[in-house]
Amino acid sequence: MSGASLLERLSDRVAGALLELGGPVGYGSGEVVFSEGGDDGHAVLVLTGAVKVRATDEAGDAALLAVLSAGNLVGEMAALDGQPRSATVVACGPVTGRLIPQHQLLDFVDFHREVLVELFRVRADQVRWANELRRAMPHHAATRIARVLGHLVRHHGSRTTGGWTLDLPLTNVELASIAGMKSRTAEKAFSRLRDAGVVLTSTRRAVLVPDLPRLDLIASGQQLP
């Protein structure tokens, strides 16, 4: 079930019980869900929309670590270990969810141990993805950006009549931070993909991938013309 959300991995009974925890909460686009260094201990189960997870690097810049969509739990690390928040979570467009107090989540995972197992598997998928990006470091910038876009499209995109659409407000700087490159390099690589017709963009920052298999070829190392 690689790439599946936490809710998709759980049995129907346990997923239903998780959905009953806490209370409803909503966030507007760009609104902070959690702040890095915060000592609040609750978690949020994302029901609709997606969130960006970012942390401050040694240079003081905000690096985008991940994008998590509906069905995933965010903020659970601080809830489980009682430590300060290790990252900032921001709504990537309108988001609805369930705000789960720390004590409820601790009692729940103590009774439903499969939740801990599936949380570990979700995080393991993220680590494997990060390792894959590190292995791609020797490749050309367009290859690395293509891998990032392919991953995001498959996890957060939707099928349309013209191919696949990724409707997330991600900047080239954020794409660069995921790919582990400078923003200027990422901008040039993205422009090459756009000029070759591999990706199309709209005024809303939505990205259209008309031919996903072609994007995969670029991601595998095939050179752009």
Side-chain angles (χ1 to χ4, degrees), residues 84-132:
R85 302 278 182 198
S86 59
T88 293
V89 177
V90 179
C92 196
V95 168
T96 64
R98 302 284 295 182
L99 192 151
I100 304 174
Q102 183 178 31
H103 71 276
Q104 282 194 14
L105 183 62
L106 289 173
D107 289 345
F108 188 79
V109 298
D110 188 51
F111 188 75
H112 300 285
R113 288 307 176 106
E114 77 171 83
V115 177
L116 288 177
V117 174
E118 297 306 337
L119 274 173
F120 171 80
R121 288 174 175 161
V122 170
R123 298 298 173 246
D125 280 349
Q126 294 170 357
V127 170
R128 289 191 184 97
W129 166 236
N131 289 339
E132 182 179 335

Side-chain angles (χ1 to χ4, degrees), residues 94-187:
V95 168
T96 64
R98 302 284 295 182
L99 192 151
I100 304 174
Q102 183 178 31
H103 71 276
Q104 282 194 14
L105 183 62
L106 289 173
D107 289 345
F108 188 79
V109 298
D110 188 51
F111 188 75
H112 300 285
R113 288 307 176 106
E114 77 171 83
V115 177
L116 288 177
V117 174
E118 297 306 337
L119 274 173
F120 171 80
R121 288 174 175 161
V122 170
R123 298 298 173 246
D125 280 349
Q126 294 170 357
V127 170
R128 289 191 184 97
W129 166 236
N131 289 339
E132 182 179 335
L133 286 180
R134 278 194 287 270
R135 287 193 295 269
M137 293 294 282
H139 289 281
H140 292 287
T143 296
R144 291 156 63 185
I145 290 295
R147 288 192 182 187
V148 170
L149 288 174
H151 175 84
L152 292 174
V153 164
R154 284 186 166 85
H155 286 76
H156 309 287
S158 57
R159 285 185 180 273
T160 62
T161 55
W164 285 79
T165 297
L166 178 64
D167 195 6
L168 293 176
L170 297 177
T171 66
N172 285 336
V173 172
E174 290 173 323
L175 288 176
S177 67
I178 294 179
M181 63 178 68
K182 295 180 179 179
S183 59
R184 186 177 180 85
T185 304
E187 288 172 1

